[in-house]
């Protein structure tokens, strides 16, 4: 019986130490909620910035998907009627004739069909 009392005393004492040393779960939950709110605010700010930037750019015409980039242009290339660029690139370029911005790896302008010629293949 004395052994049971001794084990109960030390067992209770160890349980008390474990409970006191465990991190507070409420504080951890509050910290996670604050981080989630901060992340959500950052996402909302980025969405607002994207919407603002999209409103500044002119709308892209629906015709861009109609003509694949690998097909030749409908207009035949002419020496004086083509735009010459140093090389193909994935960056945006502006058509010299109409000013529409598009990727620099196209064969012609999607808007005015001005043929593009590249000095480097």
């Amino acid at each position: 019986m004395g052994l049971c009392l001794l084990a109960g005393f030390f067992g209770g004492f160890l349980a008390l130490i474990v409970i006191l040393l465990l991190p507070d779960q409420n504080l951890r939950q509050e910290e996670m909620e604050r981080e989630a709110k901060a992340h959500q605010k950052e996402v909302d700010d980025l969405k607002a910035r994207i919407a603002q930037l999209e409103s500044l750019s002119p709308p892209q015409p629906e015709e861009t998907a109609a003509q694949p980039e690998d097909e030749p242009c409908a207009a035949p290339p002419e020496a004086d009627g083509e735009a010459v660029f140093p090389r193909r690139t994935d960056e945006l370029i502006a058509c010299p004739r109409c000013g529409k911005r598009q990727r620099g790896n196209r064969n012609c302008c999607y808007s005015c069909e001005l043929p593009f010629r590249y000095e480097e293949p």
Side-chain angles (χ1 to χ4, degrees), residues 30-43:
E30 290 173 4
E31 181 180 332
M32 289 174 59
E33 288 175 1
R34 272 183 280 149
E35 287 178 6
K37 286 179 183 178
H39 287 268
Q40 186 61 42
K41 182 181 181 320
E42 185 177 351
V43 167

Side-chain angles (χ1 to χ4, degrees), residues 16-118:
L16 181 65
I17 290 174
V18 168
I19 289 174
L20 291 176
L21 294 179
L22 281 177
D24 190 5
Q25 296 296 324
N26 290 334
L27 290 176
R28 183 179 295 166
Q29 183 68 24
E30 290 173 4
E31 181 180 332
M32 289 174 59
E33 288 175 1
R34 272 183 280 149
E35 287 178 6
K37 286 179 183 178
H39 287 268
Q40 186 61 42
K41 182 181 181 320
E42 185 177 351
V43 167
D44 292 340
D45 291 344
L46 289 173
K47 285 180 180 179
R49 179 68 177 146
I50 289 171
Q52 178 187 15
L53 291 174
E54 286 177 345
S55 69
L56 295 177
S57 67
Q60 298 294 329
E62 302 278 334
E63 302 168 4
T64 56
Q67 180 179 355
E69 297 174 9
D70 297 338
E71 292 182 8
C73 295
E78 301 167 1
D80 60 338
E82 61 185 18
V84 180
F85 296 100
R87 70 182 72 81
R88 290 183 186 268
T89 179
D90 286 333
E91 297 176 13
L92 293 179
I93 61 169
C95 175
R97 182 185 292 166
C98 66
K100 298 287 183 181
R101 295 176 57 85
Q102 54 204 305
R103 284 187 289 174
N105 60 359
R106 297 181 55 88
N107 292 327
C108 63
C109 176
Y110 69 85
S111 178
C112 67
E113 295 187 353
L114 175 70
F116 294 162
R117 184 170 55 90
Y118 299 95

